[in-house]
Structure formats: structure tokens, C-alpha cells
PDB file of all heavy atoms in Angstrom:
ATOM      1  N   ASN J   1       0.801  -1.229   0.000  1.00  0.00           N
ATOM      2  CA  ASN J   1       0.000   0.000   0.000  1.00  0.00           C
ATOM      3  C   ASN J   1       0.835   1.281   0.000  1.00  0.00           C
ATOM      4  O   ASN J   1       0.275   2.378   0.019  1.00  0.00           O
ATOM      5  CB  ASN J   1      -0.994   0.023   1.176  1.00  0.00           C
ATOM      6  CG  ASN J   1      -2.028  -1.081   1.059  1.00  0.00           C
ATOM      7  OD1 ASN J   1      -2.425  -1.465  -0.044  1.00  0.00           O
ATOM      8  ND2 ASN J   1      -2.450  -1.625   2.205  1.00  0.00           N
ATOM      9  N   THR J   2       2.190   1.141  -0.010  1.00  0.00           N
ATOM     10  CA  THR J   2       3.035   2.321  -0.218  1.00  0.00           C
ATOM     11  C   THR J   2       3.568   2.337  -1.641  1.00  0.00           C
ATOM     12  O   THR J   2       3.872   3.395  -2.180  1.00  0.00           O
ATOM     13  CB  THR J   2       4.224   2.356   0.760  1.00  0.00           C
ATOM     14  OG1 THR J   2       5.163   1.319   0.424  1.00  0.00           O
ATOM     15  CG2 THR J   2       3.765   2.174   2.199  1.00  0.00           C
ATOM     16  N   ALA J   3       3.708   1.149  -2.230  1.00  0.00           N
ATOM     17  CA  ALA J   3       4.177   0.999  -3.607  1.00  0.00           C
ATOM     18  C   ALA J   3       3.992  -0.455  -4.005  1.00  0.00           C
ATOM     19  O   ALA J   3       3.632  -1.306  -3.174  1.00  0.00           O
ATOM     20  CB  ALA J   3       5.644   1.413  -3.731  1.00  0.00           C
ATOM     21  N   SER J   4       4.220  -0.742  -5.276  1.00  0.00           N
ATOM     22  CA  SER J   4       4.149  -2.124  -5.758  1.00  0.00           C
ATOM     23  C   SER J   4       5.443  -2.465  -6.474  1.00  0.00           C
ATOM     24  O   SER J   4       6.180  -1.576  -6.911  1.00  0.00           O
ATOM     25  CB  SER J   4       2.957  -2.310  -6.704  1.00  0.00           C
ATOM     26  OG  SER J   4       3.076  -1.451  -7.826  1.00  0.00           O
ATOM     27  N   VAL J   5       5.714  -3.762  -6.607  1.00  0.00           N
ATOM     28  CA  VAL J   5       6.957  -4.193  -7.232  1.00  0.00           C
ATOM     29  C   VAL J   5       6.793  -5.619  -7.763  1.00  0.00           C
ATOM     30  O   VAL J   5       6.037  -6.423  -7.200  1.00  0.00           O
ATOM     31  CB  VAL J   5       8.129  -4.119  -6.220  1.00  0.00           C
ATOM     32  CG1 VAL J   5       7.931  -5.128  -5.086  1.00  0.00           C
ATOM     33  CG2 VAL J   5       9.470  -4.344  -6.905  1.00  0.00           C
ATOM     34  N   ARG J   6       7.487  -5.902  -8.844  1.00  0.00           N
ATOM     35  CA  ARG J   6       7.520  -7.266  -9.368  1.00  0.00           C
ATOM     36  C   ARG J   6       8.617  -8.051  -8.657  1.00  0.00           C
ATOM     37  O   ARG J   6       9.682  -7.509  -8.357  1.00  0.00           O
ATOM     38  CB  ARG J   6       7.775  -7.256 -10.879  1.00  0.00           C
ATOM     39  CG  ARG J   6       6.597  -6.719 -11.682  1.00  0.00           C
ATOM     40  CD  ARG J   6       6.849  -6.878 -13.178  1.00  0.00           C
ATOM     41  NE  ARG J   6       5.713  -6.399 -13.949  1.00  0.00           N
ATOM     42  CZ  ARG J   6       4.640  -7.132 -14.211  1.00  0.00           C
ATOM     43  NH1 ARG J   6       4.568  -8.388 -13.769  1.00  0.00           N
ATOM     44  NH2 ARG J   6       3.644  -6.646 -14.929  1.00  0.00           N
ATOM     45  N   CYS J   7       8.361  -9.340  -8.439  1.00  0.00           N
ATOM     46  CA  CYS J   7       9.325 -10.189  -7.728  1.00  0.00           C
ATOM     47  C   CYS J   7       9.598 -11.447  -8.541  1.00  0.00           C
ATOM     48  O   CYS J   7       8.730 -11.944  -9.264  1.00  0.00           O
ATOM     49  CB  CYS J   7       8.784 -10.601  -6.357  1.00  0.00           C
ATOM     50  SG  CYS J   7       8.253  -9.257  -5.301  1.00  0.00           S
ATOM     51  N   ILE J   8      10.803 -11.980  -8.368  1.00  0.00           N
ATOM     52  CA  ILE J   8      11.163 -13.273  -8.938  1.00  0.00           C
ATOM     53  C   ILE J   8      11.686 -14.151  -7.798  1.00  0.00           C
ATOM     54  O   ILE J   8      12.526 -13.700  -7.002  1.00  0.00           O
ATOM     55  CB  ILE J   8      12.221 -13.147 -10.071  1.00  0.00           C
ATOM     56  CG1 ILE J   8      12.596 -14.503 -10.631  1.00  0.00           C
ATOM     57  CG2 ILE J   8      13.452 -12.390  -9.594  1.00  0.00           C
ATOM     58  CD1 ILE J   8      11.556 -15.143 -11.478  1.00  0.00           C
ATOM     59  N   GLY J   9      11.163 -15.339  -7.684  1.00  0.00           N
ATOM     60  CA  GLY J   9      11.622 -16.271  -6.652  1.00  0.00           C
ATOM     61  C   GLY J   9      12.195 -17.517  -7.302  1.00  0.00           C
ATOM     62  O   GLY J   9      11.445 -18.358  -7.821  1.00  0.00           O
ATOM     63  N   PHE J  10      13.514 -17.636  -7.301  1.00  0.00           N
ATOM     64  CA  PHE J  10      14.155 -18.792  -7.932  1.00  0.00           C
ATOM     65  C   PHE J  10      13.913 -20.050  -7.097  1.00  0.00           C
ATOM     66  O   PHE J  10      14.046 -20.036  -5.881  1.00  0.00           O
ATOM     67  CB  PHE J  10      15.649 -18.533  -8.130  1.00  0.00           C
ATOM     68  CG  PHE J  10      15.933 -17.422  -9.105  1.00  0.00           C
ATOM     69  CD1 PHE J  10      16.435 -16.201  -8.669  1.00  0.00           C
ATOM     70  CD2 PHE J  10      15.673 -17.588 -10.453  1.00  0.00           C
ATOM     71  CE1 PHE J  10      16.693 -15.165  -9.566  1.00  0.00           C
ATOM     72  CE2 PHE J  10      15.916 -16.560 -11.361  1.00  0.00           C
ATOM     73  CZ  PHE J  10      16.425 -15.354 -10.917  1.00  0.00           C
ATOM     74  N   ASN J  11      13.521 -21.123  -7.788  1.00  0.00           N
ATOM     75  CA  ASN J  11      13.209 -22.410  -7.158  1.00  0.00           C
ATOM     76  C   ASN J  11      12.071 -22.307  -6.142  1.00  0.00           C
ATOM     77  O   ASN J  11      12.011 -23.059  -5.169  1.00  0.00           O
ATOM     78  CB  ASN J  11      14.462 -22.998  -6.485  1.00  0.00           C
ATOM     79  CG  ASN J  11      15.560 -23.298  -7.480  1.00  0.00           C
ATOM     80  OD1 ASN J  11      15.322 -23.943  -8.501  1.00  0.00           O
ATOM     81  ND2 ASN J  11      16.762 -22.822  -7.201  1.00  0.00           N
ATOM     82  N   MET J  12      11.150 -21.364  -6.357  1.00  0.00           N
ATOM     83  CA  MET J  12       9.986 -21.194  -5.476  1.00  0.00           C
ATOM     84  C   MET J  12       8.677 -21.514  -6.184  1.00  0.00           C
ATOM     85  O   MET J  12       7.600 -21.189  -5.688  1.00  0.00           O
ATOM     86  CB  MET J  12       9.934 -19.762  -4.932  1.00  0.00           C
ATOM     87  CG  MET J  12      11.017 -19.410  -3.952  1.00  0.00           C
ATOM     88  SD  MET J  12      10.767 -17.759  -3.241  1.00  0.00           S
ATOM     89  CE  MET J  12      12.151 -17.673  -2.100  1.00  0.00           C
ATOM     90  N   GLY J  13       8.749 -22.152  -7.347  1.00  0.00           N
ATOM     91  CA  GLY J  13       7.546 -22.453  -8.108  1.00  0.00           C
ATOM     92  C   GLY J  13       6.520 -23.251  -7.323  1.00  0.00           C
ATOM     93  O   GLY J  13       5.305 -23.093  -7.513  1.00  0.00           O
ATOM     94  N   LYS J  14       6.988 -24.089  -6.406  1.00  0.00           N
ATOM     95  CA  LYS J  14       6.076 -24.951  -5.639  1.00  0.00           C
ATOM     96  C   LYS J  14       5.189 -24.171  -4.678  1.00  0.00           C
ATOM     97  O   LYS J  14       4.223 -24.713  -4.124  1.00  0.00           O
ATOM     98  CB  LYS J  14       6.886 -25.997  -4.866  1.00  0.00           C
ATOM     99  CG  LYS J  14       7.901 -25.399  -3.911  1.00  0.00           C
ATOM    100  CD  LYS J  14       8.800 -26.463  -3.304  1.00  0.00           C
ATOM    101  CE  LYS J  14       9.877 -25.836  -2.414  1.00  0.00           C
ATOM    102  NZ  LYS J  14      10.795 -26.861  -1.876  1.00  0.00           N
ATOM    103  N   LEU J  15       5.479 -22.875  -4.477  1.00  0.00           N
ATOM    104  CA  LEU J  15       4.680 -22.062  -3.566  1.00  0.00           C
ATOM    105  C   LEU J  15       3.501 -21.379  -4.259  1.00  0.00           C
ATOM    106  O   LEU J  15       2.763 -20.616  -3.624  1.00  0.00           O
ATOM    107  CB  LEU J  15       5.562 -20.994  -2.906  1.00  0.00           C
ATOM    108  CG  LEU J  15       6.676 -21.502  -1.982  1.00  0.00           C
ATOM    109  CD1 LEU J  15       7.492 -20.339  -1.452  1.00  0.00           C
ATOM    110  CD2 LEU J  15       6.088 -22.302  -0.823  1.00  0.00           C
ATOM    111  N   GLU J  16       3.317 -21.634  -5.556  1.00  0.00           N
ATOM    112  CA  GLU J  16       2.264 -20.959  -6.321  1.00  0.00           C
ATOM    113  C   GLU J  16       0.891 -21.143  -5.670  1.00  0.00           C
ATOM    114  O   GLU J  16       0.156 -20.155  -5.454  1.00  0.00           O
ATOM    115  CB  GLU J  16       2.240 -21.500  -7.754  1.00  0.00           C
ATOM    116  CG  GLU J  16       1.153 -20.868  -8.610  1.00  0.00           C
ATOM    117  CD  GLU J  16       0.974 -21.585  -9.952  1.00  0.00           C
ATOM    118  OE1 GLU J  16       1.312 -22.778 -10.026  1.00  0.00           O
ATOM    119  OE2 GLU J  16       0.506 -20.936 -10.902  1.00  0.00           O
ATOM    120  N   LYS J  17       0.516 -22.361  -5.356  1.00  0.00           N
ATOM    121  CA  LYS J  17      -0.812 -22.636  -4.806  1.00  0.00           C
ATOM    122  C   LYS J  17      -0.993 -21.962  -3.453  1.00  0.00           C
ATOM    123  O   LYS J  17      -2.057 -21.380  -3.160  1.00  0.00           O
ATOM    124  CB  LYS J  17      -1.022 -24.145  -4.682  1.00  0.00           C
ATOM    125  CG  LYS J  17      -2.412 -24.526  -4.209  1.00  0.00           C
ATOM    126  CD  LYS J  17      -2.579 -26.046  -4.159  1.00  0.00           C
ATOM    127  CE  LYS J  17      -3.978 -26.404  -3.657  1.00  0.00           C
ATOM    128  NZ  LYS J  17      -4.156 -27.886  -3.562  1.00  0.00           N
ATOM    129  N   LYS J  18       0.038 -22.014  -2.626  1.00  0.00           N
ATOM    130  CA  LYS J  18      -0.048 -21.421  -1.285  1.00  0.00           C
ATOM    131  C   LYS J  18      -0.228 -19.909  -1.370  1.00  0.00           C
ATOM    132  O   LYS J  18      -0.950 -19.302  -0.563  1.00  0.00           O
ATOM    133  CB  LYS J  18       1.204 -21.781  -0.491  1.00  0.00           C
ATOM    134  CG  LYS J  18       1.011 -21.731   1.012  1.00  0.00           C
ATOM    135  CD  LYS J  18       2.155 -22.406   1.733  1.00  0.00           C
ATOM    136  CE  LYS J  18       1.897 -22.422   3.238  1.00  0.00           C
ATOM    137  NZ  LYS J  18       2.965 -23.107   3.992  1.00  0.00           N
ATOM    138  N   LEU J  19       0.430 -19.290  -2.345  1.00  0.00           N
ATOM    139  CA  LEU J  19       0.300 -17.845  -2.526  1.00  0.00           C
ATOM    140  C   LEU J  19      -1.100 -17.469  -3.007  1.00  0.00           C
ATOM    141  O   LEU J  19      -1.631 -16.415  -2.651  1.00  0.00           O
ATOM    142  CB  LEU J  19       1.353 -17.341  -3.510  1.00  0.00           C
ATOM    143  CG  LEU J  19       2.767 -17.195  -2.954  1.00  0.00           C
ATOM    144  CD1 LEU J  19       3.767 -17.012  -4.086  1.00  0.00           C
ATOM    145  CD2 LEU J  19       2.855 -16.030  -1.979  1.00  0.00           C
ATOM    146  N   LEU J  20      -1.702 -18.314  -3.809  1.00  0.00           N
ATOM    147  CA  LEU J  20      -3.064 -18.055  -4.288  1.00  0.00           C
ATOM    148  C   LEU J  20      -4.075 -18.081  -3.142  1.00  0.00           C
ATOM    149  O   LEU J  20      -5.106 -17.397  -3.190  1.00  0.00           O
ATOM    150  CB  LEU J  20      -3.451 -19.096  -5.347  1.00  0.00           C
ATOM    151  CG  LEU J  20      -2.850 -18.905  -6.745  1.00  0.00           C
ATOM    152  CD1 LEU J  20      -3.113 -20.134  -7.597  1.00  0.00           C
ATOM    153  CD2 LEU J  20      -3.416 -17.654  -7.410  1.00  0.00           C
ATOM    154  N   GLU J  21      -3.765 -18.868  -2.120  1.00  0.00           N
ATOM    155  CA  GLU J  21      -4.686 -19.018  -0.989  1.00  0.00           C
ATOM    156  C   GLU J  21      -4.444 -17.989   0.111  1.00  0.00           C
ATOM    157  O   GLU J  21      -5.283 -17.826   1.002  1.00  0.00           O
ATOM    158  CB  GLU J  21      -4.551 -20.431  -0.402  1.00  0.00           C
ATOM    159  CG  GLU J  21      -4.932 -21.544  -1.375  1.00  0.00           C
ATOM    160  CD  GLU J  21      -4.570 -22.928  -0.858  1.00  0.00           C
ATOM    161  OE1 GLU J  21      -3.821 -22.985   0.146  1.00  0.00           O
ATOM    162  OE2 GLU J  21      -5.010 -23.921  -1.456  1.00  0.00           O
ATOM    163  N   ALA J  22      -3.286 -17.292   0.063  1.00  0.00           N
ATOM    164  CA  ALA J  22      -2.922 -16.368   1.142  1.00  0.00           C
ATOM    165  C   ALA J  22      -3.412 -14.948   0.860  1.00  0.00           C
ATOM    166  O   ALA J  22      -3.267 -14.438  -0.249  1.00  0.00           O
ATOM    167  CB  ALA J  22      -1.412 -16.363   1.318  1.00  0.00           C
ATOM    168  N   ASP J  23      -4.005 -14.322   1.893  1.00  0.00           N
ATOM    169  CA  ASP J  23      -4.419 -12.918   1.762  1.00  0.00           C
ATOM    170  C   ASP J  23      -3.228 -11.982   1.963  1.00  0.00           C
ATOM    171  O   ASP J  23      -3.059 -11.004   1.236  1.00  0.00           O
ATOM    172  CB  ASP J  23      -5.515 -12.597   2.786  1.00  0.00           C
ATOM    173  CG  ASP J  23      -6.819 -13.335   2.491  1.00  0.00           C
ATOM    174  OD1 ASP J  23      -7.109 -13.524   1.291  1.00  0.00           O
ATOM    175  OD2 ASP J  23      -7.500 -13.732   3.445  1.00  0.00           O
ATOM    176  N   HIS J  24      -2.442 -12.262   2.979  1.00  0.00           N
ATOM    177  CA  HIS J  24      -1.258 -11.461   3.266  1.00  0.00           C
ATOM    178  C   HIS J  24      -0.098 -12.389   3.620  1.00  0.00           C
ATOM    179  O   HIS J  24      -0.296 -13.503   4.122  1.00  0.00           O
ATOM    180  CB  HIS J  24      -1.513 -10.495   4.434  1.00  0.00           C
ATOM    181  CG  HIS J  24      -2.474  -9.391   4.091  1.00  0.00           C
ATOM    182  ND1 HIS J  24      -3.832  -9.558   4.176  1.00  0.00           N
ATOM    183  CD2 HIS J  24      -2.258  -8.122   3.659  1.00  0.00           C
ATOM    184  CE1 HIS J  24      -4.435  -8.435   3.807  1.00  0.00           C
ATOM    185  NE2 HIS J  24      -3.505  -7.551   3.484  1.00  0.00           N
ATOM    186  N   PHE J  25       1.093 -11.940   3.392  1.00  0.00           N
ATOM    187  CA  PHE J  25       2.301 -12.697   3.711  1.00  0.00           C
ATOM    188  C   PHE J  25       3.468 -11.713   3.831  1.00  0.00           C
ATOM    189  O   PHE J  25       3.327 -10.521   3.522  1.00  0.00           O
ATOM    190  CB  PHE J  25       2.582 -13.761   2.646  1.00  0.00           C
ATOM    191  CG  PHE J  25       2.523 -13.263   1.232  1.00  0.00           C
ATOM    192  CD1 PHE J  25       3.669 -12.831   0.579  1.00  0.00           C
ATOM    193  CD2 PHE J  25       1.308 -13.221   0.540  1.00  0.00           C
ATOM    194  CE1 PHE J  25       3.621 -12.371  -0.720  1.00  0.00           C
ATOM    195  CE2 PHE J  25       1.247 -12.758  -0.759  1.00  0.00           C
ATOM    196  CZ  PHE J  25       2.402 -12.333  -1.398  1.00  0.00           C
ATOM    197  N   SER J  26       4.581 -12.193   4.299  1.00  0.00           N
ATOM    198  CA  SER J  26       5.779 -11.363   4.452  1.00  0.00           C
ATOM    199  C   SER J  26       6.878 -11.907   3.553  1.00  0.00           C
ATOM    200  O   SER J  26       6.951 -13.117   3.305  1.00  0.00           O
ATOM    201  CB  SER J  26       6.250 -11.349   5.911  1.00  0.00           C
ATOM    202  OG  SER J  26       5.225 -10.840   6.750  1.00  0.00           O
ATOM    203  N   VAL J  27       7.755 -11.029   3.074  1.00  0.00           N
ATOM    204  CA  VAL J  27       8.805 -11.438   2.144  1.00  0.00           C
ATOM    205  C   VAL J  27      10.173 -10.927   2.584  1.00  0.00           C
ATOM    206  O   VAL J  27      10.292  -9.840   3.165  1.00  0.00           O
ATOM    207  CB  VAL J  27       8.514 -10.937   0.703  1.00  0.00           C
ATOM    208  CG1 VAL J  27       7.329 -11.657   0.115  1.00  0.00           C
ATOM    209  CG2 VAL J  27       8.292  -9.422   0.674  1.00  0.00           C
ATOM    210  N   ALA J  28      11.183 -11.732   2.331  1.00  0.00           N
ATOM    211  CA  ALA J  28      12.581 -11.315   2.461  1.00  0.00           C
ATOM    212  C   ALA J  28      13.167 -11.335   1.053  1.00  0.00           C
ATOM    213  O   ALA J  28      12.843 -12.229   0.258  1.00  0.00           O
ATOM    214  CB  ALA J  28      13.349 -12.265   3.374  1.00  0.00           C
ATOM    215  N   TYR J  29      14.011 -10.368   0.731  1.00  0.00           N
ATOM    216  CA  TYR J  29      14.427 -10.215  -0.667  1.00  0.00           C
ATOM    217  C   TYR J  29      15.708  -9.392  -0.805  1.00  0.00           C
ATOM    218  O   TYR J  29      16.110  -8.671   0.120  1.00  0.00           O
ATOM    219  CB  TYR J  29      13.304  -9.515  -1.459  1.00  0.00           C
ATOM    220  CG  TYR J  29      12.853  -8.225  -0.807  1.00  0.00           C
ATOM    221  CD1 TYR J  29      13.510  -7.021  -1.044  1.00  0.00           C
ATOM    222  CD2 TYR J  29      11.788  -8.219   0.091  1.00  0.00           C
ATOM    223  CE1 TYR J  29      13.119  -5.852  -0.413  1.00  0.00           C
ATOM    224  CE2 TYR J  29      11.390  -7.056   0.730  1.00  0.00           C
ATOM    225  CZ  TYR J  29      12.061  -5.874   0.467  1.00  0.00           C
ATOM    226  OH  TYR J  29      11.681  -4.716   1.104  1.00  0.00           O
ATOM    227  N   GLU J  30      16.306  -9.519  -1.973  1.00  0.00           N
ATOM    228  CA  GLU J  30      17.426  -8.667  -2.384  1.00  0.00           C
ATOM    229  C   GLU J  30      16.901  -7.718  -3.466  1.00  0.00           C
ATOM    230  O   GLU J  30      16.430  -8.173  -4.512  1.00  0.00           O
ATOM    231  CB  GLU J  30      18.572  -9.507  -2.954  1.00  0.00           C
ATOM    232  CG  GLU J  30      19.175 -10.488  -1.959  1.00  0.00           C
ATOM    233  CD  GLU J  30      20.181 -11.417  -2.617  1.00  0.00           C
ATOM    234  OE1 GLU J  30      20.293 -11.369  -3.869  1.00  0.00           O
ATOM    235  OE2 GLU J  30      20.830 -12.199  -1.903  1.00  0.00           O
ATOM    236  N   PRO J  31      16.933  -6.418  -3.222  1.00  0.00           N
ATOM    237  CA  PRO J  31      16.480  -5.485  -4.264  1.00  0.00           C
ATOM    238  C   PRO J  31      17.461  -5.442  -5.426  1.00  0.00           C
ATOM    239  O   PRO J  31      18.676  -5.482  -5.221  1.00  0.00           O
ATOM    240  CB  PRO J  31      16.419  -4.136  -3.533  1.00  0.00           C
ATOM    241  CG  PRO J  31      17.386  -4.269  -2.408  1.00  0.00           C
ATOM    242  CD  PRO J  31      17.373  -5.720  -2.008  1.00  0.00           C
ATOM    243  N   ASP J  32      16.937  -5.394  -6.627  1.00  0.00           N
ATOM    244  CA  ASP J  32      17.780  -5.436  -7.813  1.00  0.00           C
ATOM    245  C   ASP J  32      17.190  -4.514  -8.873  1.00  0.00           C
ATOM    246  O   ASP J  32      16.038  -4.074  -8.771  1.00  0.00           O
ATOM    247  CB  ASP J  32      17.840  -6.875  -8.340  1.00  0.00           C
ATOM    248  CG  ASP J  32      18.990  -7.100  -9.307  1.00  0.00           C
ATOM    249  OD1 ASP J  32      19.870  -6.221  -9.393  1.00  0.00           O
ATOM    250  OD2 ASP J  32      18.994  -8.141  -9.975  1.00  0.00           O
ATOM    251  N   LEU J  33      17.984  -4.211  -9.883  1.00  0.00           N
ATOM    252  CA  LEU J  33      17.516  -3.425 -11.018  1.00  0.00           C
ATOM    253  C   LEU J  33      17.394  -4.330 -12.230  1.00  0.00           C
ATOM    254  O   LEU J  33      18.346  -5.042 -12.581  1.00  0.00           O
ATOM    255  CB  LEU J  33      18.470  -2.268 -11.318  1.00  0.00           C
ATOM    256  CG  LEU J  33      18.576  -1.188 -10.235  1.00  0.00           C
ATOM    257  CD1 LEU J  33      19.619  -0.145 -10.623  1.00  0.00           C
ATOM    258  CD2 LEU J  33      17.225  -0.517 -10.001  1.00  0.00           C
TER     259      LEU J  33
END
């Protein structure tokens, strides 16, 4: 709600279904250009 961003999660394809079911979640990441 402050901004939006696209993310890529390497070897995280198996989390697709869980993300579809989740309303909110938390992320750890490396910002990149």
C-alpha cells in the first residue's frame, strides 16, 4: 500500500498454490535493477 513491485523467486515455483490461498504474507528479498 506504499508501492508495488515485481518479484522473482528462484526455485519457489512450488509455492504458487499457497500464494493463491494467502491474503497477506511477508517477504525477504534482495532489491535489484
Side-chain angles (χ1 to χ4, degrees):
N1 296 327
T2 70
S4 60
V5 66
R6 290 186 178 276
C7 306
I8 179 73
F10 295 109
N11 297 310
M12 291 186 178
K14 58 187 176 183
L15 295 178
E16 179 190 25
K17 184 178 179 182
K18 203 166 184 178
L19 283 167
L20 283 170
E21 297 170 348
D23 293 326
H24 291 85
F25 49 93
S26 301
V27 291
Y29 52 85
E30 298 173 353
D32 197 12
L33 295 177

